[in-house]
Amino acid sequence: MRWQFMAALMGIALLVLLVQDIPLSNYLRQVETDRLVTSLERDAFVLAGRSEETLETPASSATAPTEAAALTAAARGYRDSGGARVVIVNADGVAVVTSDDDQSIVGDSYASRPEIMGALGGQITSGHRYSDTLQIDLLYVTVPIVNGQDIVGAVRLTFPEQVVTDAVTRQISVLGLVALTTVVLAGIVGFIFSATVTRRLKVLQHTTERLADGDLDARADERAGAPEIRSLSVSFNRMATRLETLIEQQRTFAADASHQLRTPLTALRLRLERARELLENDAGTGIAGSAPDTGPGPGSAGAAEAAAIERLAAAEAEADRLGSIIEGLLVLSRTESSTAPVVECDVARVARERVEHWQPLAQELGLGIRYEGPDHATVCAIATAPEQIIDNYVDNALSASTSRSIDAGPEREIVVRVASLSPGWRVSVLDDGPGLSDEDCARAFDRFWRADSDAPGAASGNGLGLAIVAQLARASRAAVRLERRREGGLEASVTFDAGVHSAGP
């Protein structure tokens, strides 16, 4: 915005100057021409006055050569002082005096020149013409030499038109310098003004980014900047306050809901466990005793008790699943509202520790699990994100791998791999389970999404684990992904930005 505003202001200033200076330059040219013509006319009349007495003196007079020499000297002096060429003709149009050092043209007839004939007719003429002799454009002035009522000759002064052009060019150059200075000043003013505006906008942008990153206390300064900026700051603060209120209400609701739901769920689970234990004890007593079965058919009481125990066990499982969903939603809510800062951590060390943690369970399930990667890999993430993400990935990998047919081979294993991926590090968990389709891989991070329970390798769960992973990754400015492996199974990965002290592989 700063540069665009500055360029726009400079463009407007330049346009105004062009509209003003182009007519002004033409006016200056005309003024300079008129000034020079007026000066030449004045000088021509002066020379005409001095030539009158010379032209009146007969050529046979003894003083004629002296007067002609004096007039020639005056013409040359005028030429040397101003640069104009002087030609003085008599009433017949014959040159009697010139300012040229070469006097060979004295005696030549100028009667064919329109300006000479006009002056001999009593007219004062001026204009432009091209000189074939000098090969330049000339500005000329011709005046008659009058003696009483008679015209005894004419004086013509010619001046190179380039002199006028040079004078106008010098003035236009000054105007151009002024115009350039004006444009530069306009650019400086535009830069300063736009910098003032953009500085406030950048401060507001920084405040907006803080709010977007979870800092609900971020507020804009309502007292600084232009009225429009202050109005925008007021609107932003009103929005931020409203947003903070809504989020606090959400957090309060989540906390209240957790307390309100945990207590009846725990009581319900305990009651179900107690009822199942009582049924099991009653069934055991009935089997061990000698009392005859009084039911309608053999073993009917035992079958009913077994069915009731089975239903109570299923109810307990559903209660456990409901409790797991509630815990998952609470974790997800806390993660979304978290304002934890991004810090540096050694994801290679975390990955090795998680492999060691899951090793006993993997062995019980008949699976191998190993770490593959460098000794150190520093990444930027919120403090617990790498650990929770790896745990979720490994848990899903164990569920998927154990659901695969035993015919898949004895060398089933899970690999936790840390690899360099400029400019960061990728942590991948690779399993050899049945895998998922590309469509399922794309949807796996949605909340409550679960693979078809009838499909091979469908894992149990509440559909919140990978949603939590995705949220932790977003909070850590990382990217998550699920991909099918060519050899079968899935690669679940997360890519973190590298830390400042990141080590190479």
Side-chain angles (χ1 to χ4, degrees), residues 347-418:
V347 74
R349 178 184 59 79
V350 172
R352 290 195 301 271
E353 290 177 354
R354 303 325 298 160
V355 168
E356 294 174 2
H357 172 80
W358 289 96
Q359 191 79 44
L361 179 59
Q363 290 177 353
E364 287 184 14
L365 298 174
L367 298 171
I369 183 170
R370 62 184 174 89
Y371 169 75
E372 191 178 281
D375 294 333
H376 301 283
T378 306
V379 300
C380 294
I382 61 175
T384 60
E387 179 179 354
Q388 294 184 63
I389 292 174
I390 293 173
D391 281 346
N392 268 285
Y393 280 166
V394 172
D395 187 21
N396 288 342
L398 289 172
S399 299
S401 296
T402 53
S403 67
R404 191 173 182 179
S405 172
I406 201 67
D407 297 334
E411 297 181 358
R412 294 177 300 158
E413 68 172 0
I414 296 171
V415 178
V416 179
R417 177 183 297 160
V418 176

Side-chain angles (χ1 to χ4, degrees), residues 103 111 145 152 173 182 257 288 302 488:
Q103 292 294 313
I145 303 173
V152 296
S173 299
T182 303

